[in-house]
C-alpha cells in the first residue's frame, strides 16, 4: 500500500466529515467544514477524485495508452455503479427492518425511500437507472457519470488542457444559466448533485494535478494565488459562520451563478473551495510528528475511499436510526461518532488486508 | 392586550370568511373570487384547530395583478402523497382542484416537490434552488415530522425555519407552514411535541400562516367515523389528503382577505 500522502489524507478527512454531516442533529455537525466554508466536504471529495484521475490518465510526459485508460475508467464507473446499487439495497433493508422491528412506518419514508415500498414497479426501474436516488445516497450516481465521461476528459486533456478547461467551464456555465439538470423518475424532480455542474470542480482537480497547463500555472504562481486567496477564504468563513447565503430575489439573473447553490455547485462555492485548497496545500507535509497516527488513519480511509464511503453511508443511516430510538445528546453522539471512527478505520484496514492477502497468494 | 384584541378580531374575520360571508369588502386589492370553499362534512374541524389568521399580502397582490398563480408545494411524504391511492389524490393535486374552482378565472399551477423522509434543513436547501428556478408566488412548506423523528434539536430546527422565512419574506414570497402529521403512536413523543410547539411559536412570532395539521387531523380522527389514516396508521389516506387540501385551501383563501393589523395611537386600525 502506498505511504500516507496529502490527497489520501484529505480524502479520508472528507469521508469522516460526510459521516458526521449525514447524521442530522449530531452535536459534532457544527464543527465540520461546512460551518467554515461556503461549500462542504462534497467539493473536497469530488475535487480529489478529479486529482486522482490524473494518476490513471498520466501526465503529458508519461501518457498511458488511451485504450487502457478508457478500459480502467469505465471499469471503475461500473464498480461505483455496483457499489451504489449495493448500498441502496442495504439502506432499504435497514429502513424496512427498523420499521418492522420498531413498528414505526415513518422509517419507510426516510431519504426518499417510500416510493420503493409504495410504487415498487416504477421505482425499481428508477433505482437501476439511477433516476431514483435515496437522500444522502446520491453522490455515487454523480461519480458514475463523471467516470463514464472521464475518457472524454482524458482525450480533451491530451489535445490541450486549456481546451478541457474551456469546455468544462462552458458546460458548467450552460447548466447554471439554463438551470438544466438531469431529471429524476418516477418522482418528478432533478438530481441532487447535477453532474453538469459538478463536473467543473472534478475537472479542476484533474487539471491542477498536471504539472503543465493550468496546473503548471497554479504551481508557478502559488505564492500570489495564496495571497489573493486569503481574503476569499476569510470572507467564506465569515459568511458561513453567520449563515449568510444570498436569496434568489436579491441576485441578478442568471440566479444560479450568484447563489451558493449546492445542486449546481455555484461559482462562489467552487471559488472559495479552490482558495481554501490553495491555502492549505502543503500543510499536510508540515504536520507535527505526534499527529502521524491521525494522518495515517485518514490516509488509510482515503486510500480505500469507495469501500469506506459505502460503510460510512450505511453506518450514518444506522446512526440516524439510533438517534430516533435513543435520542441525541453529547454522550450518545460521542458514542455514535466513536463507532463511526472505529468501523470506518476497520473497514479500510480490512480492505487493505484482503488486497495484501490476495497479492501474496498470487505471488505464491 | 392590543395584540390579543387584534387576534380576536382576526379570528372572528376568519370564522366569518369560513362561514361563507363575502369578505371581499375587507380588502379592495384582493382578487375577485368566491368565498372560501366550505369544508366537506368529513373534514369539519374547529377554525382554531386549522389555522390562526395571518395575512398573505404578496400572494394577494399577485392574484390581483395577474390571473395566474404558481404555488410551490415542498416538503416530505405528506406532500409527495404516501398513502394516497394515486398521486392525483395527494394534497397538492386536490388543492389545485379546490383552488381552481374557488379562485375563478385564475390559472392555478402547483409544483409538487415533496421528497419523503426529508428533514427541514435539506428541504430548505432545495427551496432556494426551486425558488430560483421556478419563482413561485406562494410556498407551501410541509415540515416537522421527520425532524422530530430524526431527533433534530428543536433549536436547530427553529434556526433553519426562521432563516428560511426571513429570506422568503425579503424576496416577497408568502409562505404557509403546514404542520406535523397526526398519528396516535406519536401523541406522547416528547420530540414530536417540542417540534410542534416550536412551529407554533415561530409562526406566531413571524406572522406566518401555519396550518395546524396535527390538531385538525386529531380532531377529525377522534370525532368522525370515517378513517383519515392509511392502513399503516401513519400516513393519510385519500380522504385524509382531501381534508388536508381543504384545510390549506380554506386558510389560504380566507387569509387573502386579511390585512395586517397594527396597533396605532388611535386604536386598532387595518
Amino acid at each position: 500500500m502506498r505511504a500516507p500522502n496529502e490527497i489520501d489524507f484529505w480524502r479520508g478527512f472528507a469521508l469522516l466529515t460526510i459521516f458526521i454531516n449525514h447524521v442530522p442533529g449530531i452535536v459534532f455537525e457544527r464543527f465540520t467544514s461546512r460551518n467554515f466554508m461556503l461549500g462542504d466536504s462534497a467539493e473536497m471529495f469530488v475535487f480529489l477524485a478529479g486529482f486522482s484521475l490524473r494518476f490513471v490518465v498520466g501526465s503529458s510526459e508519461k501518457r498511458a495508452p488511451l485504450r487502457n485508460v478508457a478500459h480502467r475508467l469505465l471499469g471503475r464507473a461500473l464498480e461505483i455503479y455496483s457499489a451504489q446499487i449495493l448500498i441502496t439495497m442495504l439502506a432499504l433493508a435497514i429502513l424496512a427492518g427498523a420499521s418492522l422491528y420498531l413498528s414505526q412506518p415513518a422509517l419507510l419514508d426516510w431519504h426518499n425511500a417510500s416510493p420503493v415500498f409504495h410504487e415498487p414497479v416504477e421505482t425499481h426501474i428508477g433505482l437501476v437507472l439511477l433516476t431514483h436516488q435515496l437522500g444522502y445516497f446520491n453522490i455515487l450516481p454523480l461519480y458514475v457519470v463523471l467516470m463514464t465521461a472521464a475518457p472524454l476528459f482524458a482525450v480533451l486533456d491530451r489535445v490541450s488542457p486549456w481546451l478541457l478547461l474551456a469546455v468544462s467551464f462552458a458546460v458548467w456555465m450552460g447548466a447554471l444559466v439554463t438551470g438544466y439538470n438531469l431529471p429524476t423518475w418516477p418522482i418528478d424532480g432533478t438530481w441532487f448533485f447535477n453532474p453538469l455542474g459538478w463536473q467543473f470542480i472534478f475537472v479542476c482537480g484533474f487539471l491542477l494535478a498536471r504539472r503543465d497547463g493550468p496546473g503548471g500555472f497554479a504551481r508557478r504562481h502559488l505564492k500570489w494565488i495564496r495571497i489573493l486567496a486569503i481574503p476569499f477564504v476569510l470572507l467564506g468563513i465569515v459568511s458561513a459562520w453567520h449563515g449568510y447565503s444570498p436569496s434568489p430575489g436579491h441576485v441578478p439573473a442568471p440566479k444560479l451563478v450568484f447563489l451558493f447553490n449546492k445542486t449546481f455547485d455555484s461559482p462562489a462555492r467552487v471559488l472559495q473551495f479552490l482558495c481554501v485548497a490553495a491555502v492549505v496545500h502543503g500543510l499536510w507535509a508540515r504536520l507535527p510528528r505526534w499527529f502521524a497516527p491521525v494522518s495515517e488513519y485518514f490516509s488509510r480511509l482515503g486510500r480505500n475511499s469507495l469501500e469506506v464511503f459505502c460503510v460510512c453511508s450505511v453506518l450514518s443511516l444506522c446512526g440516524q436510526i439510533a438517534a430516533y430510538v435513543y435520542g441525541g445528546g453529547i454522550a450518545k453522539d460521542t458514542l455514535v461518532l466513536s463507532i463511526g471512527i472505529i468501523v470506518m478505520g476497520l473497514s479500510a484496514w480490512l480492505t487493505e488486508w484482503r488486497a495484501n492477502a490476495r497479492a501474496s497468494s498470487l505471488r505464491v | 392586550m392590543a395584540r390579543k384584541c387584534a387576534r380576536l378580531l382576526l379570528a372572528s374575520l376568519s370564522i366569518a370568511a369560513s362561514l361563507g360571508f363575502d369578505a371581499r369588502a375587507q380588502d379592495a386589492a384582493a382578487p375577485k373570487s368566491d368565498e372560501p370553499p366550505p369544508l366537506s362534512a368529513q373534514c369539519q374541524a374547529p377554525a382554531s384547530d386549522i389555522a390562526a389568521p395571518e395575512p398573505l399580502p404578496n400572494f394577494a397582490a399577485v392574484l390581483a395583478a395577474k390571473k395566474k398563480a404558481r404555488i410551490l408545494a415542498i416538503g416530505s411524504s405528506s406532500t409527495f402523497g404516501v398513502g394516497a391511492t394515486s398521486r392525483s389524490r395527494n394534497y397538492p393535486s386536490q388543492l389545485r382542484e379546490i383552488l381552481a374552482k374557488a379562485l375563478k378565472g385564475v390559472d392555478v399551477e402547483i409544483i409538487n416537490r415533496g421528497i419523503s423522509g426529508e428533514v427541514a434543513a435539506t428541504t430548505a436547501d432545495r427551496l432556494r434552488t426551486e425558488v430560483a428556478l421556478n419563482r413561485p408566488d406562494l410556498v407551501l412548506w410541509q415540515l416537522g415530522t421527520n425532524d422530530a423523528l430524526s431527533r433534530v434539536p428543536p433549536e436547530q430546527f427553529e434556526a433553519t425555519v426562521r432563516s428560511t422565512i426571513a429570506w422568503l419574506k425579503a424576496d416577497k414570497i408568502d409562505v404557509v407552514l403546514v404542520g406535523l402529521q397526526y398519528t396516535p403512536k406519536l401523541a406522547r413523543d416528547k420530540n414530536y411535541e417540542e417540534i410542534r410547539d416550536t412551529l407554533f411559536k415561530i409562526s406566531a412570532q413571524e406572522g406566518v400562516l401555519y396550518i395546524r395539521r396535527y390538531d385538525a387531523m386529531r380532531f377529525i380522527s377522534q370525532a368522525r367515523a370515517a378513517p383519515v389514516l392509511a392502513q399503516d396508521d401513519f400516513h393519510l389516506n385519500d380522504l385524509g389528503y382531501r381534508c388536508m387540501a381543504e384545510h390549506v385551501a380554506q386558510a389560504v383563501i380566507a387569509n387573502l382577505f386579511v390585512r395586517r393589523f397594527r396597533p396605532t395611537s388611535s386604536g386598532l386600525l387595518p
Side-chain angles (χ1 to χ4, degrees), chain A residues 8-345:
Chain A
D8 287 337
F9 171 80
W10 287 114
R11 196 138 59 159
F13 179 81
L15 281 163
L16 188 65
T17 313
I18 290 173
F19 171 73
I20 296 170
N21 286 342
H22 283 186
V23 185
I26 194 167
V27 177
F28 306 100
E29 205 176 12
R30 57 198 77 168
F31 304 112
T32 59
S33 51
R34 71 176 172 197
N35 297 289
F36 312 99
M37 287 169 68
L38 301 183
D40 55 26
S41 43
E43 269 89 2
M44 203 190 296
F45 208 50
V46 175
F47 176 84
L48 293 174
F51 208 94
S52 311
L53 179 67
R54 177 61 59 192
F55 305 126
V56 178
V57 173
S59 58
S60 50
E61 309 90 50
K62 202 179 157 191
R63 287 176 168 183
L66 209 50
R67 215 165 119 188
N68 293 5
V69 168
H71 189 253
R72 271 191 72 183
L73 294 177
L74 295 177
R76 184 68 174 162
L78 190 64
E79 206 178 342
I80 297 168
Y81 173 79
S82 314
Q84 167 69 7
I85 300 291
L86 174 72
I87 58 169
T88 300
M89 293 316 290
L90 285 174
L92 290 170
I94 289 169
L95 289 174
S99 167
L100 285 176
Y101 183 70
L102 302 165
S103 305
Q104 181 48 270
L107 295 177
L108 295 180
D109 283 352
W110 279 14
H111 308 308
N112 205 14
S114 54
V116 178
F117 301 113
H118 296 277
E119 290 182 30
V121 178
E122 295 88 349
T123 312
H124 274 79
I125 301 170
L127 286 176
V128 169
L129 294 176
L130 303 180
T131 61
H132 186 81
Q133 301 164 9
L134 302 186
Y136 294 158
F137 287 73
N138 39 26
I139 200 167
L140 289 188
L142 165 69
Y143 272 92
V144 172
V145 175
L146 292 178
M147 280 301 153
T148 310
L152 181 68
F153 296 151
V155 171
L156 289 174
D157 176 65
R158 286 194 182 179
V159 177
S160 158
W162 296 103
L163 174 70
L164 172 59
L165 184 64
V167 170
S168 172
F169 184 80
V171 171
W172 182 46
M173 278 296 142
L176 287 164
V177 170
T178 61
Y180 181 76
N181 188 356
L182 300 186
T184 54
W185 183 85
I187 310 303
D188 287 341
T190 50
W191 282 35
F192 186 77
F193 287 101
N194 182 357
L196 301 173
W198 279 81
Q199 53 79 28
F200 183 68
I201 200 159
F202 180 78
V203 167
C204 284
F206 179 53
L207 290 173
L208 287 172
R210 195 171 156 144
R211 301 215 159 258
D212 54 0
F217 178 85
R219 276 181 181 75
R220 282 196 302 279
H221 300 96
L222 189 59
K223 197 177 135 199
W224 290 107
I225 290 173
R226 276 186 173 154
I227 292 169
L228 287 172
I230 288 170
F232 286 103
V233 173
L234 294 177
L235 209 62
I237 292 173
V238 173
S239 167
W241 190 249
H242 289 282
Y244 172 75
S245 178
S247 67
H250 285 77
V251 295
K255 293 184 183 297
L256 290 168
V257 173
F258 302 100
L259 293 176
F260 300 170
N261 188 283
K262 182 168 179 178
T263 292
F264 287 76
D265 209 17
S266 285
R269 288 177 65 117
V270 173
L271 184 68
Q272 205 234 352
F273 170 78
L274 292 175
C275 290
V276 171
V279 171
V280 303
H281 169 61
L283 176 75
W284 176 81
R286 290 159 199 235
L287 288 172
R289 189 171 289 185
W290 57 263
F291 199 74
V294 182
S295 178
E296 172 74 36
Y297 170 82
F298 280 134
S299 297
R300 178 170 284 141
L301 297 190
R303 279 199 297 269
N304 304 285
S305 57
L306 182 60
E307 291 82 356
V308 173
F309 178 80
C310 290
V311 170
C312 155
S313 302
V314 172
L315 212 56
S316 61
L317 181 62
C318 297
Q320 291 163 52
I321 293 169
Y324 163 68
V325 180
Y326 303 111
I330 184 95
K332 285 163 194 161
D333 288 351
T334 308
L335 185 68
V336 167
L337 178 65
S338 311
I339 293 174
I341 290 171
I342 294 167
V343 176
M344 282 164 71

Side-chain angles (χ1 to χ4, degrees), chain A residues 109 112 114 119 247 249 323, chain B residues 77 87 116 128-129 151 171 235:
Chain A
D109 283 352
N112 205 14
S114 54
E119 290 182 30
S247 67
Chain B
S77 61
R87 269 187 250 163
S116 70
R128 277 181 194 269
T129 316
R151 311 306 186 201
D171 280 13
H235 294 102

Side-chain angles (χ1 to χ4, degrees), chain B residues 14-21 33-41 43-44 50 94-104 242-243 245-257:
Chain B
S14 163
I15 290 164
S18 67
L19 288 173
F21 294 111
S33 79
D34 294 330
E35 64 271 12
L39 298 175
S40 49
C43 299
Q44 292 287 345
I50 297 179
Q94 300 206 55
L95 177 66
R96 203 200 70 78
E97 285 170 26
I98 300 170
L99 289 181
K101 269 187 207 151
L103 300 169
K104 285 195 185 89
R242 172 79 200 172
C243 294
E246 284 188 12
H247 296 162
V248 174
Q250 194 183 55
V252 166
I253 294 176
N255 285 288
L256 284 176
F257 312 118

